Amino acid sequence: MTNQFTIPKPVNEPIKVYGPGSPEKASLQAKADELSSKVIDIPLVIGGEEVRTGNTAQCVMPHDHGHILANFHQAGEKEVEMAINASQEAWQSWSKKPLEERAEIYVKIANLLAGPWRDTINAATMLNMSKNVFQAEIDAACELIDFLRFNPWYAQELASHQPMYSPEPTKNSVELRPLEGFVFAVSPFNFTSIGGNLPSAPALMGNVALWKPASSAVYPAHFIMQLFKEAGLPDGVINFIPGRGSQVGPNVMNSPLLAGVHFTGSTAVFQGMWKHIGENIQNYKTYPRIVGETGGKDFCLAHESVNKDALVTAMVRGAFEYQGQKCSAMSRAYIPTTIWDDVKEKYLAEVDSIKMGDPKDFTNFMNAVIDRSAFESISEFIDFAKNADDAEILTGGGYDDSKGFFIEPTTILTDNPKFRTMCEEIFGPVLTIYLYDPDNWKETLKLVDSTSDYALTGCVMSEDKDAVEEAKIALTYSAGNFYINDKPTGAVVGQQPFGGSRASGTNDKAGSMFNLVRWVSQRTIKENFDPPTDYRYPFMDED
Ligand code: NAD
């Protein structure tokens, strides 16, 4: 029987506003109240079965760290083995399903998330990751829905790429085979959508996955697993194995069936994983595909001609939304000395107006950073700047972990372009500013390119078209996502495929055909309808 489903052309999921008095605001707040009024138990999910190990850790609210949302079970060596076995059993049928059948399930997941599951996943993201409603909506709802709707479309496009010629009497084709084994999906704490996409993108291509979410964001991930099940994703296709990265990771990567790694997180962890795989390379059945999107030190280069209001807004949103905990967050800004006084006045007033607190209070622009380890690491950077001779604190600098992990929006001004906070990823609400002489525009372009190991995102802000063009060329390799007159955050699926190079990752562009191509291994098929029956060629004939 042929499948009647055709993959619909996607459009981006509209962002809900959650304005005062709106029904969507009331419904989301009710869901957040409901979720935060109980403590749930989160099991592993292996082959569709709930597994409890008794080795538990807690999901808490970063803005009120004494408030426990859930206890989650952590995987050990035994559960990793169970998950690999379950994945291989599921692989037998899932890898053979036509793309249209798999895609049909993805569209169902997207529709459920856009509808009845939206509040749950958004509220879980707000509570466990301390995101304000807008940040939750653009991540947990819209971006994940987009991944689920756009990836099937891209997969279809990919499958349509066939050999150019089939001369008579032959027929040539290329088949996109799922990888032999399983894909290890390892997600970071900061985006629910990335968590959902890392296992589901390879699974769309017929693969099976083991998904290890970040320990500080297991709560929304648990609801995503429930959503996958409700939409009909077969058992064992995605196996959920939360746990400590340093324990779960090596156990998974020692398996000869490791066929790929789909990672997002820090550069150091990714490099450690790559090294582990390299050291075990002779043990694998196939060469594992290694895809990783990692850290950033994202820049803003303002030209003297910049629209100052636009610059200030880009700085505030780019650096401080979600407390700067975006790989794309603006964390170093280069501003001409000649315009600094004007920019500074507006910038200080804007930062001063920022409210910080519980995400359930919709008037808060900022919330808490994710956990104690992030709080300590960010505050250590701030203290370093406070004690340095070549830097001063312009805004913020305060931090308080008595109730939640709160860090003020902090701005450091330095006259040292290689100051530590101009080079290293902080992953918190800290922006460092360096003032440059506009006569040194060309040298500043070189400085921006050479200051950090990363090359994820960056923006140039300028009303001068020639300066923009010059920056675009000089900064060709400085960012995988380059913005002109816009903040360097907020990539949208289907509009700005996302990823960076250098120390920022393999740049396989999440939410694009170029990512999906990593999850298949092509088989070329030539069929000959009239095969030769004599080995001799005409050139061999006698004159
Ligand atoms: P992290 O590297 O600490 O953790 C990421 C994941 O790796 C977690 O699930 C963690 O448990 C796991 N892990 C840790 N050690 C492991 C090991 N030895 N083996 C296997 N897995 C292991 O990162 P994080 O703090 O969750 O996220 C922040 C980082 O992620 C930042 O550096 C940020 O720039 C980066 N990030 C990058 C992108 C991007 O698209 N480039 C997007 C989001 C976040």
Side-chain angles (χ1 to χ4, degrees):
M1 209 177 81
T2 53
N3 188 294
Q4 294 305 305
F5 181 76
T6 51
I7 296 168
K9 185 163 186 186
V11 290
N12 290 115
E13 175 66 12
I15 301 169
K16 292 195 181 205
V17 176
Y18 299 94
S22 63
E24 71 252 25
K25 178 173 174 179
S27 147
L28 179 60
Q29 280 184 323
K31 182 54 81 176
D33 288 342
E34 179 202 320
L35 292 183
S36 54
S37 68
K38 55 192 175 194
V39 182
I40 61 168
D41 183 59
I42 299 183
L44 282 60
V45 182
I46 298 176
E49 299 292 326
E50 296 191 349
V51 174
R52 290 176 171 78
T53 61
N55 173 18
T56 58
Q58 292 174 338
C59 298
V60 301
M61 304 205 300
H63 42 276
D64 181 3
H65 47 59
H67 188 128
I68 299 164
L69 294 163
N71 294 301
F72 69 93
H73 293 257
Q74 303 185 98
E77 196 175 345
K78 180 174 146 219
E79 292 75 31
V80 166
E81 198 187 326
M82 285 164 64
I84 293 172
N85 292 340
S87 77
Q88 294 314 286
E89 206 180 312
W91 188 88
Q92 298 299 336
S93 54
W94 182 249
S95 64
K96 295 183 188 72
K97 261 194 201 308
L99 171 64
E100 291 72 20
E101 276 183 46
R102 297 192 301 256
E104 193 170 0
I105 299 172
Y106 277 58
V107 172
K108 258 188 218 156
I109 305 172
N111 292 344
L112 284 171
L113 178 53
W117 277 85
R118 196 181 197 113
D119 281 347
T120 303
I121 307 279
N122 270 340
T125 299
M126 291 167 71
L127 296 173
N128 187 215
M129 287 152 70
S130 206
K131 278 200 175 185
N132 71 31
V133 63
F134 181 74
Q135 293 301 314
E137 168 76 4
I138 58 171
D139 160 24
C142 299
E143 188 172 32
L144 185 49
I145 293 166
D146 287 350
F147 278 135
L148 293 160
R149 288 182 179 150
F150 280 72
N151 277 341
W153 178 263
Y154 293 134
Q156 184 175 250
E157 269 194 9
L158 201 57
S160 72
H161 281 262
Q162 289 296 322
M164 289 172 76
Y165 299 113
S166 291
E168 289 287 332
T170 62
K171 184 177 167 218
N172 296 317
S173 61
V174 161
E175 184 187 338
L176 302 180
R177 299 173 303 177
L179 307 179
E180 273 187 292
F182 66 88
V183 173
F184 186 25
V186 182
S187 55
F189 77 82
N190 65 337
F191 276 90
T192 298
S193 55
I194 295 178
N197 185 52
L198 291 183
S200 70
L204 173 69
M205 305 311 285
N207 296 284
V208 289
L210 268 56
W211 176 19
K212 198 209 89 57
S215 295
S216 40
V218 170
Y219 190 65
H222 158 73
F223 292 110
I224 288 178
M225 282 303 292
Q226 292 190 338
L227 165 62
F228 286 165
K229 194 174 178 77
E230 186 175 316
L233 191 73
D235 293 343
V237 171
I238 296 178
N239 300 279
F240 186 61
I241 48 164
R244 292 170 69 90
S246 55
Q247 278 176 8
V248 174
N251 282 324
V252 175
M253 291 184 290
N254 286 342
S255 167
L257 292 169
L258 178 77
V261 166
H262 202 192
F263 175 85
T264 301
S266 63
T267 299
V269 168
F270 185 54
Q271 291 185 353
M273 290 173 75
W274 196 308
K275 203 165 155 196
H276 188 105
I277 293 168
E279 280 163 1
N280 285 283
I281 200 67
Q282 70 284 357
N283 298 336
Y284 300 115
K285 188 169 180 182
T286 62
Y287 291 105
R289 301 281 171 90
I290 307 178
V291 174
E293 294 306 331
T294 60
K297 189 70 201 173
D298 311 298
F299 61 85
C300 169
L301 171 59
H303 186 257
E304 215 178 359
S305 63
V306 69
N307 172 331
K308 298 184 193 83
D309 292 341
L311 172 63
V312 169
T313 301
M315 287 165 72
V316 173
R317 285 187 171 174
F320 302 129
E321 278 185 317
Y322 192 39
Q323 298 75 262
Q325 299 172 115
K326 298 187 184 188
C327 50
S328 55
M330 184 194 295
S331 61
R332 52 185 171 123
Y334 301 79
I335 298 178
T337 46
T338 42
I339 62 166
W340 174 235
D341 283 347
D342 291 351
V343 172
K344 181 179 171 185
E345 191 184 343
K346 171 135 203 223
Y347 176 76
L348 294 183
E350 292 289 65
V351 175
D352 194 45
S353 72
I354 291 176
K355 271 189 71 193
M356 184 164 68
D358 190 323
K360 275 204 269 179
D361 175 350
F362 281 25
T363 62
N364 288 324
F365 178 74
M366 284 176 65
N367 314 105
V369 300
I370 192 72
D371 57 18
R372 180 160 306 284
S373 140
F375 179 85
E376 283 172 0
S377 142
I378 300 162
S379 44
E380 194 266 325
F381 274 104
I382 294 174
D383 289 347
F384 177 83
K386 279 181 184 165
N387 295 324
D389 294 335
D390 45 359
E392 63 173 290
I393 303 283
L394 262 192
T395 72
Y399 42 80
D400 179 358
D401 63 350
S402 49
K403 181 159 193 259
F405 300 114
F406 289 105
I407 299 190
E408 290 174 358
T410 299
T411 313
I412 299 167
L413 182 67
T414 181
D415 54 11
N416 172 6
K418 298 284 169 90
F419 188 67
R420 189 174 159 213
T421 64
M422 290 295 284
C423 307
E424 295 178 26
E425 184 179 54
I426 302 173
F427 222 59
V430 182
L431 173 65
T432 307
I433 296 176
Y434 171 72
L435 305 179
Y436 73 92
D437 178 347
D439 289 342
N440 295 338
W441 168 249
K442 285 186 197 316
E443 291 75 12
T444 307
L445 287 171
K446 284 199 188 113
L447 184 64
V448 172
D449 179 58
S450 60
T451 292
S452 129
D453 294 337
Y454 300 105
L456 189 51
T457 76
C459 67
V460 60
M461 310 257 328
S462 165
E463 303 263 278
D464 176 333
K465 287 197 168 49
D466 291 340
V468 167
E469 208 43 45
E470 211 181 338
K472 209 165 121 191
I473 293 165
L475 302 174
T476 298
Y477 287 96
S478 320
N481 281 55
F482 185 67
Y483 295 81
I484 299 166
N485 289 321
D486 207 347
K487 65 182 167 54
T489 59
V492 176
V493 178
Q495 298 185 30
Q496 299 94 21
F498 192 77
S501 56
R502 295 186 181 163
S504 291
T506 55
N507 200 16
D508 289 290
K509 297 294 187 204
S512 83
M513 205 167 77
F514 302 100
N515 177 279
L516 300 182
V517 76
R518 302 297 311 272
W519 309 121
V520 287
S521 173
Q522 298 185 35
R523 177 164 76 150
T524 303
I525 301 175
K526 173 185 176 184
E527 186 172 0
N528 198 333
F529 299 107
D530 186 14
T533 51
D534 179 356
Y535 86 89
R536 293 167 194 81
Y537 290 98
F539 75 85
M540 297 160 70
D541 291 349
E542 291 194 22
D543 284 333

